Amino acid sequence: MSARETAELLLLVGRLVQADGYDGELSPAQWMALRFFARANSFSRTPSSFAEFQATTRGTASQAIKALESGGYLVRQRSPADGRSVTLRLTDKGHEVVARDPFDVLVRAVDSLNAQEQIAMRDALHQVLTTLAASGAHQHFGVCQDCAYLGGETYCDPTSASRSTIGCLLFGVPIEPHDVGLLCVHFQPKSKRREDEHCE
Ligand code: SF4
C-alpha cells in the first residue's frame, strides 16, 4: 500500500464523518466546535485555541462559537486569573447534544478493531500529527498522558492538605485524574521536548 493511498483513506474517513455531521440541528463546523470545547482542558477552552485546532481563521472559528452561544450550547466566562481572557464551556444543553454525537459512528468503527490494532493506529496517527506539527503547518494538540510536561510531583493544593499527584511542569499546577485525557493547546510530544533540550 502506498503512502498516498493511506493518506487518501484518512481524507475519506474525514469526509464521511463530516457528512454525518449534518443532522439538522448543528452544522459540521458547529459540531467540531462543540466537540472541541467538550474535550479541551482549562488552558485550551478559548476561541483562539479552537481556531488553532481547526487550522482555520479566528473569524471562521468565532462564527461557529457565536452560533453555539446563541443556541444555548456554549457559555463564555471571564478567566478568574486575569478577568480579561475568555473561556467557553458547555451548558447542560451542550452536554446533552454532545452525548448523541454522530461522530460516535466512527468511534464504534475504531472500537471494532482489536486492542493491538487500535494501539498501532493511535500511535501511527500520533506520529503523523507530530510530523505535520514539526513541519510548522499546524499545532499538534494532545493529552497530558502523552505530554513531555507531565510530571509526578508533590503539589500544594490550598483547598486540601499537600498530596503527591501528577502535575503540569509547564504551568506548575496539579492535574486532576479526570483532566489527564483532555486536549491541550500547549501539548508537547515527549520526543520533541527531548530534542529541544538537546539543542539548548
Ligand atoms: S502536561 Fe502538557 S498537555 Fe497537560 S496541561 Fe501541561 S502542557 Fe498541557
Side-chain angles (χ1 to χ4, degrees), residues 50-162:
F50 172 59
E52 187 78 49
F53 180 75
Q54 273 289 81
T56 187
T57 63
R58 289 193 186 192
T60 304
S62 80
Q63 276 177 11
I65 291 170
K66 275 188 188 142
L68 290 172
E69 284 183 270
S70 58
Y73 303 96
L74 280 183
V75 65
R76 65 178 60 210
Q77 300 171 312
R78 294 268 160 211
S79 161
D82 60 20
R84 281 180 291 118
S85 50
V86 166
T87 61
L88 290 128
R89 67 168 175 80
L90 269 68
T91 60
D92 288 346
K93 183 178 176 185
H95 282 294
E96 276 167 28
V97 170
V98 98
R100 47 188 164 82
D101 187 345
F103 175 71
D104 283 349
V105 172
L106 179 59
V107 176
R108 286 194 293 276
V110 172
D111 203 35
S112 70
L113 302 173
N114 68 38
Q116 223 175 355
E117 289 168 332
Q118 286 188 43
I119 291 168
M121 181 189 254
R122 179 180 179 278
D123 289 350
L125 289 173
H126 258 299
Q127 187 57 46
V128 168
L129 287 170
T130 303
T131 305
L132 286 173
S135 73
H138 301 296
Q139 172 74 23
H140 180 183
F141 280 64
V143 299
C144 296
Q145 63 203 21
D146 301 321
C147 180
Y149 290 121
L150 183 69
E153 301 271 342
T154 299
Y155 291 88
C156 293
D157 182 343
T159 61
S160 64
S162 293

Side-chain angles (χ1 to χ4, degrees), residues 41 43-44 142-151 167-171 173 175 179-180 182-188:
N41 71 8
F43 303 118
S44 313
V143 299
C144 296
Q145 63 203 21
D146 301 321
C147 180
Y149 290 121
L150 183 69
C168 173
L169 301 177
L170 181 64
F171 294 107
V173 295
I175 298 170
D179 287 343
V180 168
L182 297 181
L183 290 172
C184 181
V185 67
H186 303 287
F187 170 79
Q188 184 84 273

